[in-house]
């Protein structure tokens, strides 16, 4: 069974390589790679001692995006009417209190999740960098948060 699988994979790899052009026949010497209209090439060196280049083709007016897409943390206002808001280690009142946030302060929020019920609301917000959870009953976010 394993031998048959390996032989099938070998045949597939050889047939794939047969369709790929070789470097000598793919392009003539001095020919440039095709670019999108209005695109310019940016060359970035990865290390000064090495001669490897990363080629990025950009369109003027369009910013480069990084390979790791980060969403900016959302914020919300604490609405506890004068009392401090408990920050808990998990999304529920059964988890221990690990900190507090004062009333009318702005709190950074990462995402929302389901937890125990607090006065008719079972949604909890996770704070960035795994710093705890706060009940959504006492925080008014400025924008909708993604689910954790």
């Amino acid at each position: 069974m394993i031998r048959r699988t390996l032989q099938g994979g070998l045949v597939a790899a050889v047939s794939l390589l047969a369709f790929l052009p070789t470097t000598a026949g793919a392009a003539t010497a001095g020919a440039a790679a095709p670019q999108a209209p209005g695109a310019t090439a940016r060359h970035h060196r990865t290390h000064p001692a090495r001669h490897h280049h990363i080629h990025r083709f950009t369109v003027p007016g369009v910013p480069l995006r990084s390979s790791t897409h980060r969403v900016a943390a959302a914020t919300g206002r604490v609405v506890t009417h004068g009392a401090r808001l408990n920050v808990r280690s998990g999304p529920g009142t059964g988890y221990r209190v690990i900190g507090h946030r004062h009333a009318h302060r702005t709190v950074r929020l990462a995402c929302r999740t389901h937890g125990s019920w607090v006065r008719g609301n079972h949604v909890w917000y996770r704070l960035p960098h795994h710093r705890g959870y706060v009940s959504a009953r006492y925080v008014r976010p400025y924008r909708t948060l993604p689910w954790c």
Side-chain angles (χ1 to χ4, degrees), residues 132-146:
Y133 293 82
V134 293
S135 173
R137 171 69 175 90
Y138 300 109
V139 177
R140 297 293 172 261
Y142 294 123
R143 67 175 175 92
T144 305
L145 288 141

Side-chain angles (χ1 to χ4, degrees), residues 9 32 36 39 56 93-94 99 101 104 107 125 141:
R56 292 185 179 151
T93 55
R101 297 296 184 265
H104 309 292
V107 179
Y125 296 129

Side-chain angles (χ1 to χ4, degrees), residues 7-52:
Q7 287 175 348
L10 182 61
V11 170
V14 169
S15 63
L16 178 67
L17 290 175
F19 288 111
L20 294 176
T22 61
T23 55
T28 60
Q35 292 183 9
T40 59
R42 289 186 186 176
H43 300 286
H44 299 281
R45 275 214 143 145
T46 57
H47 190 273
R50 297 185 184 137
H51 297 288
H52 301 284

